[in-house]
């Protein structure tokens, strides 16, 4: 818990001492606004809200609330740390993609354990989050990108070592292949339904 608090406190301090001077939102706000003329460090052409207290229309999940203040702090702290770790040059799209991944982790955490605090994130929870996405996407490239981003986020988390166990999600073809198998099963079921099934015409997607 102490390591988590240290991580959050360091990012909050940088936000308040440096970043807050260039934007119109506070650390405690549930929504940070990027883009537009008053975005400051969250530079972008289009006004983009980043919500930390809820998730909406997450593929394969839907909408849900994020009521735990510690997990909200994790998302905000990761926003700031990612910005600092990448030479103060992060697009709004990247911030949004990272935020969606963290929200998926929260959903997997509360769905599979009695916990809500980020220190209880583990590799199985991260795998569960990726599995849900793999079962609900047709875009293999997006799935691969998401796993890659998740691995980068876990690298930063392991750097601070605030989870009870180190995270070890692998960026390999396992989930890509799982998604392919899921798509093939659906394809076979559709062909069977249409009574035009021919097993020899069902090839693994590369």
């Amino acid at each position: 818990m102490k390591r988590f608090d240290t991580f959050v406190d360091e990012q909050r301090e940088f936000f308040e001492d440096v970043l807050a001077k260039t934007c119109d939102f506070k650390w405690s706000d549930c929504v940070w606004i990027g883009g537009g003329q008053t975005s400051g460090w969250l530079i972008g052409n289009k006004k983009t809200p980043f919500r930390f207290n809820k998730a909406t229309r997450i593929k394969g999940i839907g909408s849900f609330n994020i009521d735990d203040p510690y997990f909200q702090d994790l998302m905000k702290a990761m926003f700031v740390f990612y910005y600092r770790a990448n030479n103060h040059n992060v697009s709004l799209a990247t911030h949004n993609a990272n935020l969606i991944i963290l929200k998926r982790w929260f959903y997997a955490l509360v769905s599979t354990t009695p916990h809500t605090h980020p220190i209880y994130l583990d590799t199985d929870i991260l795998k569960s989050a990726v599995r849900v996405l793999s079962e609900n996407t047709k875009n293999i490239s997006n799935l691969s990108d998401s796993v890659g981003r998740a691995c980068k986020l876990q690298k930063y988390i392991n750097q601070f070592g605030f989870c009870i166990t180190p995270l070890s999600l692998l960026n390999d073809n396992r989930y890509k292949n799982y998604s392919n198998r899921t798509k093939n099963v659906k394809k076979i079921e559709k062909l069977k339904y249409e009574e035009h099934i021919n097993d020899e015409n069902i090839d693994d997607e590369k």
Side-chain angles (χ1 to χ4, degrees):
M1 185 76 76
K2 184 178 180 180
R3 290 183 177 180
F4 175 80
D5 292 340
T6 298
F7 170 66
V8 171
D9 289 345
E10 287 180 359
Q11 310 319 312
R12 183 191 290 115
E13 182 178 354
F14 184 83
F15 174 89
E16 294 175 346
D17 291 347
V18 179
L19 302 180
K21 300 174 183 178
T22 69
C23 60
D24 292 338
F25 50 83
K26 300 178 293 184
W27 178 274
S28 58
D29 290 344
C30 291
V31 181
W32 290 1
I33 304 296
Q37 296 180 349
T38 60
S39 61
W41 60 287
L42 290 178
I43 298 173
N45 295 325
K46 184 179 180 181
K47 190 174 182 179
T48 306
F50 297 100
R51 302 184 183 279
F52 301 103
N53 62 340
K54 64 175 59 177
T56 57
R57 295 181 296 179
I58 302 296
K59 186 176 295 186
I61 299 174
S63 302
F64 54 92
N65 293 327
I66 303 174
D67 298 324
D68 186 83
Y70 295 107
F71 212 95
Q72 291 180 17
D73 275 344
L74 169 66
M75 293 187 288
K76 294 173 183 178
M78 193 57 70
F79 245 75
V80 175
F81 181 79
Y82 200 95
Y83 175 78
R84 299 173 68 186
N86 289 275
N87 299 316
H88 298 191
N89 184 23
V90 181
S91 69
L92 297 184
T94 296
H95 278 305
N96 188 58
N98 290 341
L99 185 59
I100 290 174
I101 289 170
L102 292 170
K103 289 179 177 181
R104 285 185 175 278
W105 289 3
F106 177 80
Y107 184 85
L109 174 65
V110 299
S111 298
T112 60
T113 78
H115 305 294
T116 59
H117 197 289
I119 65 171
Y120 293 102
L121 288 170
D122 61 28
T123 304
D124 287 339
I125 290 169
L126 272 58
K127 288 180 178 179
S128 175
V130 174
R131 190 177 302 113
V132 170
L133 176 59
S134 71
E135 292 171 347
N136 291 277
T137 186
K138 296 180 181 179
N139 192 321
I140 302 303
S141 177
N142 284 352
L143 175 60
S144 180
D145 288 346
S146 181
V147 175
R149 291 184 187 280
C151 287
K152 190 169 185 179
L153 293 175
Q154 88 170 353
K155 175 184 175 182
Y156 292 149
I157 290 175
N158 286 338
Q159 180 177 327
F160 285 85
F162 57 74
C163 289
I164 293 177
T165 58
L167 305 178
S168 57
L169 179 68
L170 297 178
N171 188 9
D172 56 20
N173 291 324
R174 182 180 311 168
Y175 300 104
K176 180 185 294 186
N177 292 338
Y178 183 87
S179 181
N180 287 341
R181 290 196 301 272
T182 300
K183 291 170 63 179
N184 283 338
V185 167
K186 292 180 179 178
K187 184 189 298 183
I188 293 171
E189 289 176 347
K190 181 180 179 181
L191 290 173
K192 284 182 178 179
Y193 179 78
E194 296 174 349
E195 297 183 352
H196 294 303
I197 186 66
N198 182 346
D199 291 341
E200 294 182 355
N201 291 332
I202 306 302
D203 298 324
D204 289 337
E205 297 182 18
K206 304 300 182 184

